[in-house]
Amino acid sequence: MRFIFILLVFLPFISLATEYTPDSAAELRAQYQLLLELKAENAITEAVFNEKSESIKQQAYSRYQISLEDMPSASATEQRIDSFTSALYSISALLLLALVAKIMSYFPAILNEALVYVASTVTLLVFHQEYVVLVAGFSLAGVLAYSVNSRIENPGKARRWTGWLLMLVLGLLAWCFDNSVFGVCSVIAFVYSLGFVMLITPGMIAVGVNEARIAVVLRLALACLLLTLLAWLIFYTTWLSALMPVRQTLQAFELGMLTVLPLAYFTALGYLSFFLLKHRFWLRFIAELAALISGLAVIIIALLYQLDTMFWVGALFMLWNLMDKFHELVYKRVSFTAACTLFALIFGGSAALIKSNMTVIMPHLAFLNL
């Protein structure tokens, strides 16, 4: 059940994921109206507008057999309220796992597992209402995690099997029901299988890795980096034209790949810098340099492509690294007042330099085809 506990910690991501799962024709219409407004303000390129609008039109026809012109209009406020209530659905469905666990305690383990497997599968096949699908999907994931962990004594082996199986099952649910909540959970299962963990204690939430070995952490960092880059190239650029046909198919995984993967990546780099390579100067220097470069890249890409959650993940770990360098290189060597003044001047000067040269900077970014 450790995996389910991790899911509860990631509820903010799950609430954001609901924005990518239109549950009504009105919501699809609202998304199309927002797309028109962004185009009118030149906030998106013609290529992005065409790709997104085509996706919405296809959903309108395949799910409701109507055109966008026939759809009832929904305001932005109604869309936000609908997304918020979908987030409440997700939280409620997760909390009901406690009820499932309570019911399972009254019967033999084998019978419990069989009942939950059958009930969840039948429910998913018969009922397609959003809340029912979430409850059945999370119940299936919970009993699957229980089945694996109760039969494999080796913690590392159990974690890997749990992660891979949940990744496949939740990924299949995300694809079948076009549900980004399951998509986020599938990505969480993937990084969990590679060793990414969150530790919860009174008054503290910490992220880290399950095995303090350089090979494990490097594998986690490399896998997350490559998949994050792949997600950005698929969803927000046209550079990999061969992958364009799979963009709509993978839409349910977009949010998870652009938030959970960067979070796990920066956690792995931080673990290398501050723990595993702490006394190896050059290796630590390389790890910190990689963290700095990739952190800047994530922030810049997130700003240019309006990836809000990805921006805050990058900003959080950039601040973490900067504060560590500030403490080591400045704070320990000068007075508190001088250190804070110097840091303020560096930040303020950098911001002023960028702001005053936006007209010079933006033309050099034209090659990105924003």
Side-chain angles (χ1 to χ4, degrees), residues 329-341:
L329 302 176
V330 179
Y331 186 80
K332 288 183 176 181
R333 304 174 189 278
V334 299
S335 67
F336 174 79
T337 303
C340 291
T341 302

Side-chain angles (χ1 to χ4, degrees), residues 27-182:
E27 187 175 348
L28 273 176
R29 177 68 181 178
Q31 288 190 359
Y32 185 65
Q33 291 291 346
L34 178 60
L35 202 60
L36 290 173
E37 293 173 9
L38 291 174
K39 181 187 177 185
E41 297 173 359
N42 294 320
I44 57 176
T45 64
E46 187 71 24
V48 172
F49 171 78
N50 291 335
E51 189 274 328
K52 294 292 184 182
S53 61
E54 185 63 29
S55 169
I56 293 175
K57 290 177 182 178
Q58 289 177 0
Q59 289 187 64
Y61 181 77
S62 62
R63 298 176 66 176
Y64 306 106
Q65 290 75 50
I66 56 177
S67 65
L68 285 173
E69 291 72 19
D70 298 329
M71 287 185 178
S73 179
S75 67
T77 300
E78 288 174 327
Q79 183 182 0
R80 291 188 180 95
I81 292 175
D82 188 72
S83 295
F84 176 72
T85 52
S86 293
L88 293 181
Y89 270 177
S90 303
I91 296 170
S92 175
L94 278 170
L95 293 176
L96 277 183
L97 291 182
L99 177 61
V100 174
K102 184 66 176 178
I103 294 174
M104 291 178 65
S105 67
Y106 292 112
F107 302 98
I110 295 294
L111 178 60
N112 279 324
E113 293 176 66
L115 287 174
V116 176
Y117 278 126
V118 172
S120 299
T121 303
V122 171
T123 301
L124 289 169
L125 292 174
V126 176
F127 301 100
H128 292 168
Q129 197 273 339
E130 181 183 10
Y131 182 69
V132 177
V133 167
L134 288 170
V135 172
F138 287 140
S139 298
L140 182 62
V143 74
L144 181 62
Y146 170 80
S147 298
V148 174
N149 283 280
S150 63
R151 289 171 172 80
I152 301 178
E153 296 182 358
N154 185 289
K157 189 176 180 180
R159 184 189 68 252
R160 287 190 294 274
W161 273 102
T162 301
W164 283 108
L165 288 174
L166 287 180
M167 181 191 70
L168 293 174
V169 171
L170 292 169
L172 182 62
L173 292 176
W175 178 70
C176 290
F177 295 100
D178 191 24
N179 191 301
S180 292
V181 175
F182 289 135

